[in-house]
Amino acid sequence: MMRLFATLLAGLMVLGQLAAAQSGPLRIEITEGVIEPLPYAVPDFVAEDGGAKDYGAQLARVIAEDLNGTGLFREIPAKAHISQITNFASPVQFADWKAVNAQALVTGAVSVSGNNLEVKFRVYDVFAGQELGNGLRFKGTTEGWRRMAHKVADAVYSRITGEGGYFDSRVVFVSETGPKNDRKKRLAIMDYDGAGLQYLTDSSTIVLAPRFSPKGDKVLYTSYETGFPRVFILDVGSVKRRALEDQDGTMSFAPRFSPDGKSVLMSITQGGNTDIYRMDISSGRQTQLTNSPGIDTAPSYSPDGSKIVFESDRSGNQQLYVMSAKGGEPTRISFGQGRYGTPVWSPRGDLIAFTKQNKGRFHIGVMRTDGSEERLLTASFLDEGPTWAPNGRVIMFTRETQGAKGSSSLYSVDVSGRNLKKIRLNGGASDPSWSPLQ
Amino acid sequence: MHIGHYISGAGHVGLIGLVFFGGVFQSDPPPFEVTGVSVVTTEEFDALRAGEHSPLPNTDVDIPVAPNLSDTAPDMTSSVDPDLDQGAPDATENAPPDETPDLSDLTAPQPSEVTDTSPTLAPPEPEMAVLIPRDTTRPMARPETRVAPDPVAAPEPDTKIDDIQRDATTPDQSASETVQDAQEATAPEAATTEIVTEAKEQVALAPRASVRPVLRPPQRTRADTSNKAKAGADAAVAAALAEEAAAPSGPPLTRGEKDALRVSVQNCWVVDVGSQAANVTVTVAVTLDQEGKVAGPVTMLEASGGDDQAIQTAFGAARRAVLRCQRGGYKLPIEKYDHWREIEITFNPEKMRLK
């Protein structure tokens, strides 16, 4: 009897499940999509007066170059457009943009009054038939039109991807000229895309490893002008500089700002031992954070300032370690084959970028902050010195070619490993450091 | 019991007797042909063979007669033929001198320029030893900008990849009078199945490690058959009957029809694997009309795995996927419309995240 009852119960339960499966809406789950650039259109911005015509086209081109350069967007050329944007206030013909498979549309207008430039724009989700966010307006000078284009591109990028952009940012780096055995180096600064190049120092002395402050107004770097490596701090606006650490018999290098910009991490070599120190910028007071017989160097703060990642050879091989920002016993996080160095914490806080040398090749890679999920993004004769874009999405680094005539260049790569590309620059370049968004 | 044995024994004996003596296994012989034969003696046989002997040789042959030769020689005289007497030629004293021909008007032929060029022959194939590399790497997939579940080979160089995707034209039987310009089919955009970073390019594709197999689920315990379970069964019966009454009529969509719908949408679902939105799983509700087109707004039912900004981005990508790929309407069986009028689609990028 009990058996019969149990069988009946099970049958009823199955019947119930079948009925439930067939009732209500149809449910499907999609687990595999496609990874491809999102097609979009950015027609020339409407010139609202005669003097703005050239700016309308130039703004659209810079915006398109910014978006296309991410590898996440693909511009639909103007010759394929069915609709023409002739009035910024006119309603958008979504059917025409759907027909050319534009998923996003950027429209804008520009006007010039004397030396002042005004740019306004809107972003549309074409297939939803609605605007993404509200229209936005920027005002500036005609000399700053390119930066205004970067700002528009940042806003477009942010509205479509949901993340911050990185187009209105700059990069400080070491400009290199001359042959390998007599290379001249000086600090230079440029827009993220290589435009607007300016030099901050002359080439009379060797300079290394510049690092932007969190606000982008100051630069730390290492100079050999005293014969020994010394850390200097430079004001970008006035180009004035001073040595941060000038204790006799010591060498200081590999500096990096804290997230609040009030202190600096650096390596100091004393008595043949290299450890990591924190220095308060205003008072000059130093605090030793590591104390091991090995070489501890290349420190980098986590975005919240609570932890520090650095490289050390205390285990006999160059590896990555994480410790509290107050010092203490570090935890090793890299265990793969080869040597790890120059770790940099992502602005998002989720990843650490590093340089890896293994089997005669150099790689730029990323790993979780606990050392898991290591992924190598590049491979070449010499890749080193990663720096993160302000949004934590792109990594810029130095790539040097092989041979006596080899030269250094700057490259960038998406954190997914896609979209590896060379930064357009005249001459050699190394040691990039990305500024925050301006 | 013994009676049964006796009956059985008698039955078996009778059966065996029937087999042996009843001709059960006998059958008629197979049919055969009968041919008549006559008996002959040795003399009669020799007489019959006599006509088959070879002919005897004939020695009665005529001998040829020798020719009659005479001893006198034949007459061998000759005579002059008068028709051949033409006399000697007359000699002339002032014979005109031989004149040199005037060659002034003639121009010497110019030697034509002949270039003696040897024909170009293809150099013979040298005999080469082929060195087989010791280490061969697997062919690597060509890097493509598009990563999709189904790889698509790159089209021929002269094939145009348009921004607008068009279907190939097919003859319309119902509108044969209408002459329509032929449309060029758009080649599918090349796609690969994974992101190939620079660091991966020289690495063999064989996996070095595999995912640990999932543990077998624990065995279920025997069902409780107490009164409490009986009450639960009653409730299950009531719920099942109620839901069955509310369920749409007719057969549900087959697995193939569901898969076709899923593939249609996933081909338009663009995932930015490096973004925070790639951590978000979002479920959207869609209402379709009878043509399979989206009727009304696409709404978000639930989302998990990210902040508000990431969720909105993930929802936007899901909505674009549903709206883009509907085109002329999703291809679903109209007779099952009640089953697919309301659809809930869950977009789960877990498998696509960077690892």
Side-chain angles (χ1 to χ4, degrees):
Chain A
M1 187 62 190
M2 298 294 278
R3 246 181 233 177
L4 182 64
F5 179 76
T7 307
L8 176 65
L9 179 66
L12 288 173
M13 291 178 71
V14 170
L15 176 65
Q17 288 177 354
L18 286 174
Q22 294 175 7
S23 64
L26 173 64
R27 294 183 178 89
I28 61 174
E29 182 177 20
I30 296 175
T31 58
E32 290 182 323
V34 296
I35 302 170
E36 63 180 355
L38 184 142
Y40 75 101
V42 52
D44 290 350
F45 280 17
V46 177
E48 296 189 329
D49 51 55
K53 187 176 181 181
D54 290 343
Y55 288 112
Q58 290 173 343
L59 284 164
R61 287 308 88 216
V62 172
I63 294 167
E65 287 177 7
D66 284 347
L67 296 175
N68 296 343
T70 64
L72 303 176
F73 298 90
R74 175 171 60 86
E75 186 193 11
I76 295 173
K79 62 182 180 182
H81 296 179
I82 299 173
S83 279
Q84 302 299 323
I85 304 296
T86 55
N87 188 337
F88 182 66
S90 298
V92 172
Q93 304 299 319
F94 289 112
D96 291 345
W97 297 104
K98 282 182 189 176
V100 296
N101 198 28
Q103 296 186 39
L105 171 67
V106 182
T107 65
V110 56
S111 60
V112 174
S113 174
N115 194 32
N116 295 323
L117 191 71
E118 182 175 313
V119 178
K120 51 188 177 183
F121 71 98
R122 294 183 188 276
V123 187
Y124 296 93
D125 184 334
V126 172
F127 281 85
Q130 64 187 36
E131 188 176 354
L132 285 171
N134 297 320
L136 203 59
R137 184 191 309 258
F138 291 116
K139 289 183 178 178
T141 61
T142 52
E143 289 81 12
W145 71 269
R146 192 176 179 85
R147 191 174 168 202
M148 294 175 76
H150 287 323
K151 284 199 169 295
V152 173
D154 276 329
V156 173
Y157 179 94
S158 179
R159 292 183 183 190
I160 296 176
T161 66
E163 299 178 341
Y166 56 89
F167 309 123
D168 186 24
S169 62
R170 294 192 289 179
V171 174
V172 63
F173 63 100
V174 176
S175 173
E176 299 184 358
T177 54
K180 251 185 177 178
N181 55 2
D182 186 24
R183 189 152 287 174
K184 305 297 183 187
K185 297 188 175 186
R186 52 180 171 166
L187 292 189
I189 194 170
M190 64 176 183
D191 293 349
Y192 93 100
D193 57 358
L197 177 67
Q198 292 178 312
Y199 294 102
L200 301 178
T201 64
D202 57 25
S203 58
S204 60
T205 184
I206 294 176
V207 290
L208 296 172
R211 301 287 181 251
F212 259 121
S213 66
K215 293 182 179 177
D217 57 342
K218 292 182 173 60
V219 171
L220 291 169
Y221 66 100
T222 304
S223 172
Y224 279 76
E225 67 181 62
T226 62
F228 295 96
R230 287 264 189 271
V231 172
F232 283 72
I233 185 168
L234 179 145
D235 184 83
V236 176
S238 63
V239 201
K240 290 181 179 177
R241 61 187 175 83
R242 67 179 174 90
L244 266 189
E245 196 277 330
D246 56 358
Q247 193 176 344
D248 290 341
T250 64
M251 293 187 292
S252 58
F253 52 94
R256 199 177 291 270
F257 278 101
S258 63
D260 61 7
K262 294 180 180 176
S263 60
V264 174
L265 292 175
M266 68 178 81
S267 293
I268 296 179
T269 301
Q270 280 181 318
N273 191 27
T274 302
D275 285 305
I276 294 173
Y277 289 74
R278 180 177 61 240
M279 173 184 281
D280 185 83
I281 295 178
S282 59
S283 66
R285 186 167 54 88
Q286 295 179 4
T287 305
Q288 185 172 356
L289 300 179
T290 65
N291 185 12
S292 77
I295 298 174
D296 300 335
T297 187
S300 173
Y301 271 108
S302 62
D304 61 1
S306 64
K307 294 179 180 176
I308 296 170
V309 61
F310 64 98
E311 67 172 70
S312 174
D313 63 354
R314 61 183 64 194
S315 68
N317 192 14
Q318 194 175 320
Q319 299 292 339
L320 303 185
Y321 294 81
V322 171
M323 67 177 179
S324 166
K326 297 177 181 176
E329 190 62 26
T331 302
R332 179 174 166 178
I333 61 170
S334 63
F335 294 94
Q337 292 182 336
R339 295 191 291 175
Y340 295 78
T342 64
V344 191
W345 216 299
S346 160
R348 289 181 185 170
D350 57 345
L351 296 172
I352 291 173
F354 56 86
T355 302
K356 181 174 182 176
Q357 184 185 5
N358 187 30
K359 296 179 181 177
R361 288 175 74 81
F362 281 76
H363 307 272
I364 299 297
V366 293
M367 62 170 64
R368 295 286 175 190
T369 56
D370 60 358
S372 63
E373 299 182 19
E374 175 183 323
R375 288 185 291 116
L376 300 181
L377 308 180
T378 71
S380 84
F381 167 69
L382 178 54
D383 287 349
E384 63 179 356
T387 180
W388 288 96
N391 65 352
R393 183 59 198 263
V394 180
I395 296 171
M396 192 179 290
F397 60 97
T398 305
R399 170 165 289 183
E400 185 168 330
T401 53
Q402 194 171 5
K405 294 184 179 179
S407 62
S408 297
S409 304
L410 301 185
Y411 279 73
S412 66
V413 64
D414 188 85
V415 72
S416 66
R418 294 159 56 92
N419 199 36
L420 175 68
K421 63 178 186 177
K422 186 177 180 181
I423 307 299
R424 289 173 298 184
L425 273 174
N426 291 325
S430 63
D431 279 347
S433 175
W434 217 313
S435 81
L437 207 59
Q438 299 184 50
Chain B
M1 295 296 287
H2 294 294
I3 297 174
H5 287 151
Y6 295 146
I7 295 172
S8 175
H12 279 85
V13 170
L15 180 62
I16 294 170
L18 181 65
V19 167
F20 280 99
F21 304 108
V24 174
F25 297 115
Q26 291 181 1
S27 62
D28 296 334
F32 56 90
E33 293 181 357
V34 180
T35 304
V37 178
S38 58
V39 180
V40 295
T41 63
T42 305
E43 293 76 11
E44 289 172 341
F45 182 75
D46 292 341
L48 289 172
R49 297 287 306 272
E52 298 176 4
H53 292 167
S54 59
L56 296 173
N58 188 2
T59 56
D60 187 12
V61 179
D62 294 339
I63 297 172
V65 179
N68 186 17
L69 301 177
S70 67
D71 295 335
T72 57
D75 187 7
M76 301 292 288
T77 59
S78 62
S79 60
V80 178
D81 188 353
D83 295 337
L84 294 179
D85 186 12
Q86 295 178 350
D90 297 334
T92 303
E93 293 181 355
N94 298 322
D98 293 339
E99 294 180 355
T100 303
D102 184 9
L103 300 177
S104 61
D105 295 337
L106 297 178
T107 56
Q110 296 292 330
S112 60
E113 294 182 358
V114 177
T115 56
D116 187 10
T117 56
S118 59
T120 304
L121 299 176
E125 291 288 337
E127 293 183 357
M128 299 175 63
V130 179
L131 297 178
I132 300 175
R134 289 180 180 177
D135 296 326
T136 56
T137 56
R138 293 189 181 189
M140 303 297 294
R142 183 184 301 176
E144 299 290 351
T145 58
R146 188 171 194 267
V147 181
D150 301 320
V152 178
E156 295 295 327
D158 58 346
T159 304
K160 181 184 178 184
I161 299 175
D162 206 340
D163 292 324
I164 308 169
Q165 187 168 358
R166 303 190 187 100
D167 296 331
T169 54
T170 54
D172 188 355
Q173 302 298 335
S174 61
S176 57
E177 304 85 11
T178 305
V179 178
Q180 198 170 17
D181 293 338
Q183 280 189 317
E184 183 183 1
T186 304
E189 191 170 0
T192 183
T193 55
E194 66 169 338
I195 298 173
V196 180
T197 66
E198 188 184 39
K200 284 183 179 178
E201 285 178 353
Q202 300 298 326
V203 179
L205 294 177
R208 292 180 177 176
S210 59
V211 179
R212 183 187 294 273
V214 180
L215 291 175
R216 181 179 297 176
Q219 291 187 341
R220 294 172 185 267
T221 56
R222 179 166 296 188
D224 184 11
T225 57
S226 63
N227 292 333
K228 186 179 177 184
K230 186 179 178 183
D234 293 340
V237 170
L241 293 176
E243 290 183 0
E244 187 177 13
S249 60
L253 265 67
T254 64
R255 181 186 293 269
E257 290 164 344
K258 286 183 182 177
D259 285 345
L261 175 62
R262 181 177 52 77
V263 171
S264 297
V265 179
Q266 80 176 15
N267 282 338
C268 289
W269 182 35
V270 179
V271 181
D272 179 5
V273 292
S275 71
Q276 301 292 329
N279 297 323
V280 177
T281 298
V282 62
T283 301
V284 301
V286 183
T287 302
L288 300 181
D289 62 16
Q290 293 194 354
E291 294 180 346
K293 293 182 179 176
V294 177
V298 178
T299 56
M300 181 169 59
L301 295 178
E302 59 180 353
S304 61
D307 58 17
D308 290 343
Q309 189 69 55
I311 287 173
Q312 287 303 318
T313 304
F315 170 60
R319 180 174 58 189
R320 279 194 293 273
V322 173
L323 296 174
R324 275 178 63 210
C325 271
Q326 63 174 333
R327 294 194 177 93
Y330 289 107
K331 308 300 181 191
L332 292 164
I334 184 63
E335 66 275 12
K336 300 177 181 177
Y337 177 60
D338 286 345
H339 289 279
W340 52 261
R341 179 172 52 199
E342 305 286 339
I343 305 178
E344 290 180 10
I345 307 175
T346 299
F347 294 86
N348 183 357
E350 185 178 357
K351 291 182 179 177
M352 302 186 67
R353 287 175 200 149
L354 295 173
K355 291 179 181 175

